[in-house]
Amino acid sequence: DTAVSQTPKYLVTQMGNDKSIKCEQNLGHDTMYWYKQDSKKFLKIMFSYNNKELIINETVPNRFSPKSPDKAHLNLHINSLELGDSAVYFCASSQGTVEAQYFGPGTRLLVL
Amino acid sequence: DAKTTQPPSMDCAEGRAANLPCNHSTISGNEYVYWYRQIHSQGPQYIIHGLKNNETNEMASLIITEDRKSSTLILPHATLRDTAVYYCIVRDSGAGSYQLTFGKGTKLSVIP
């Protein structure tokens, strides 16, 4: 069974569109995250979501909005997609702040 | 910004121990040292973490110096599947410090 899953695996879309990426974890963790890995392979945190508390990285444009319907899911909505949004987006989860984070396989977003 | 310094790349012969160094000279008393790796095109994978004492699990050993300013990740018998980018991360265990700040890591190549 996949611990952290993401859909879709690949996403190709046009500039200006709105898209969503879904993430689910079956580990019973209380904290979930979204990371972005750009073309230079730098991996940066975008959001952390713990027990209904959202912690936002201030450098993330407000076109990006996480939504958590329950503890097992953290979806990422992106409005008005731009070329610079092209990247690999990773979802992760952990139990508390000290324990390991488990990452999903990534969603490869290409904006044309 | 990453609080660690790692060599950009290393080679290791298959079957030999891989010793990956990490400097974290500004680490504070409540910060843990974490190691993750990212195999090409996959999500980051947790390896091990520690605070003060040396740690060992089924994947690796973590040796932290007494002054905690540096550490070494040891893969005891490297295989070709260990070829990956290895990230050393220092993270506060306090509330609100959920995210991992990834640096450039060390690209480990295991050679047959």
Side-chain angles (χ1 to χ4, degrees):
Chain A
D1 289 341
T2 303
V4 182
S5 59
Q6 297 179 227
T7 55
K9 187 174 182 179
Y10 298 96
L11 183 56
V12 181
T13 188
Q14 299 288 328
M15 283 178 57
N17 285 349
D18 303 337
K19 291 293 179 184
S20 295
I21 306 172
K22 295 184 177 181
C23 177
E24 177 181 3
Q25 55 96 2
N26 62 7
L27 299 168
H29 288 164
D30 63 2
T31 306
M32 296 185 72
Y33 315 79
W34 278 106
Y35 288 83
K36 177 182 179 181
Q37 188 167 40
D38 61 23
S39 58
K40 296 183 178 180
K41 303 297 184 182
F42 288 114
L43 198 62
K44 294 184 179 180
I45 183 72
M46 299 178 70
F47 302 101
S48 305
Y49 206 92
N50 172 264
N51 291 326
K52 300 184 180 181
E53 180 186 6
L54 176 64
I55 302 171
I56 301 173
N57 182 331
E58 295 179 356
T59 65
V60 176
N62 57 15
R63 299 181 294 104
F64 290 78
S65 57
K67 288 184 170 56
S68 180
D70 54 57
K71 284 176 59 176
H73 298 83
L74 182 64
N75 303 324
L76 183 64
H77 298 272
I78 315 170
N79 294 323
S80 302
L81 278 157
E82 301 177 357
L83 294 176
D85 298 333
S86 296
V88 183
Y89 293 84
F90 289 101
C91 176
S93 73
S94 68
Q95 182 58 34
T97 60
V98 174
E99 299 307 315
Q101 293 185 15
Y102 292 85
F103 285 77
T107 294
R108 286 140 187 86
L109 172 65
L110 178 60
V111 182
L112 302 175
Chain B
D1 292 330
K3 300 179 181 179
T4 62
T5 304
Q6 299 177 251
S9 64
M10 291 181 63
D11 291 340
C12 178
E14 186 178 17
R16 304 296 295 269
N19 296 283
L20 293 91
C22 179
N23 287 322
H24 32 79
S25 58
T26 61
I27 193 170
S28 62
N30 58 348
E31 289 182 318
Y32 284 74
V33 179
Y34 292 78
W35 283 85
Y36 284 74
R37 71 181 182 183
Q38 187 172 25
I39 297 170
H40 181 62
S41 297
Q42 297 182 18
Q45 178 188 22
Y46 166 80
I47 301 173
I48 199 167
H49 75 282
L51 182 62
K52 296 181 180 179
N53 300 322
N54 297 337
E55 301 288 345
T56 295
N57 63 20
E58 65 278 5
M59 290 183 67
S61 294
L62 173 61
I63 308 299
I64 303 175
T65 57
E66 192 170 344
D67 63 7
R68 303 209 321 124
K69 293 185 177 182
S70 65
S71 60
T72 301
L73 178 74
I74 301 173
L75 307 178
H77 305 286
T79 70
L80 298 179
R81 287 180 293 182
D82 292 322
T83 292
V85 178
Y86 287 76
Y87 297 97
C88 171
I89 300 165
V90 166
R91 194 186 79 171
D92 197 315
S93 61
S97 300
Y98 300 114
Q99 65 266 28
L100 299 171
T101 301
F102 287 80
K104 297 181 180 180
T106 295
K107 185 174 183 180
L108 175 69
S109 298
V110 180
I111 302 169

